[in-house]
Amino acid sequence: MTRLRNIAMTIGLSAVLGSAMLFAQPVSTANIPFDFQITGGTVPAGHYRVSLAAGRQMLVFQNEATGRSSMVLVHGYKSSTLEESILTFRHNGERYTLESAWFAGITGGYGPLQGKRNRADSERGMVATVRMLQK
């Protein structure tokens, strides 16, 4: 009876740990030295915890100083894998707009969903890259 209970507990523990690993999301930190645009709003410069959540369809920026979070719906694109985590921003005039997020070892980058106007803007300006540290 004890042996059967140990087997059942082992199976249950394996299921719990396996499901936790299945839902583990990439998390990194970044020091973003400029205000930037996501979802039509401006997010202030600062230290952020950046995570890919909701089935890899949402990027969450949590300001480490204030605890405030900003979220943006994203889609996966491009199929390469980078060795380091980075954020790319499009710098056009005075504005920096989030263009993509890449997490080390995760196949593909993630970019915000864009309307027609945003697509035209994304082709102008220079690209700024911010390295992230994997947590």
Side-chain angles (χ1 to χ4, degrees):
M1 190 67 151
T2 303
R3 185 173 182 182
L4 183 59
R5 185 176 351 163
N6 287 343
I7 291 171
M9 287 178 61
T10 301
I11 291 171
L13 185 57
S14 296
V16 168
L17 290 175
S19 65
M21 293 301 287
L22 179 65
F23 292 108
Q25 299 297 329
V27 176
S28 296
T29 59
N31 179 22
I32 304 172
F34 43 77
D35 295 351
F36 60 100
Q37 305 283 312
I38 57 173
T39 61
T42 301
V43 180
H47 290 278
Y48 285 88
R49 180 179 178 193
V50 183
S51 59
L52 193 53
R56 297 189 177 182
Q57 297 197 8
M58 184 172 297
L59 200 56
V60 179
F61 289 83
Q62 183 178 21
N63 187 304
E64 292 185 336
T66 65
R68 294 191 68 197
S69 294
S70 298
M71 296 172 248
V72 60
L73 289 174
V74 293
H75 64 92
Y77 70 102
K78 299 186 182 176
S79 61
S80 57
T81 303
L82 299 183
E83 292 182 21
E84 64 181 341
S85 299
I86 62 169
L87 297 170
T88 59
F89 297 88
R90 182 66 61 173
H91 181 230
N92 188 358
E94 298 281 321
R95 292 181 5 191
Y96 287 88
T97 304
L98 178 68
E99 188 169 274
S100 65
W102 296 80
F103 293 89
I106 303 292
T107 302
Y110 294 86
L113 300 176
Q114 298 180 338
K116 288 180 185 178
R117 179 175 174 226
N118 291 355
R119 268 184 249 136
D121 287 345
S122 72
E123 296 172 5
R124 293 186 219 128
M126 299 182 70
V127 174
T129 301
V130 174
R131 287 191 169 97
M132 295 191 288
L133 299 174
Q134 204 81 16
K135 277 216 155 198

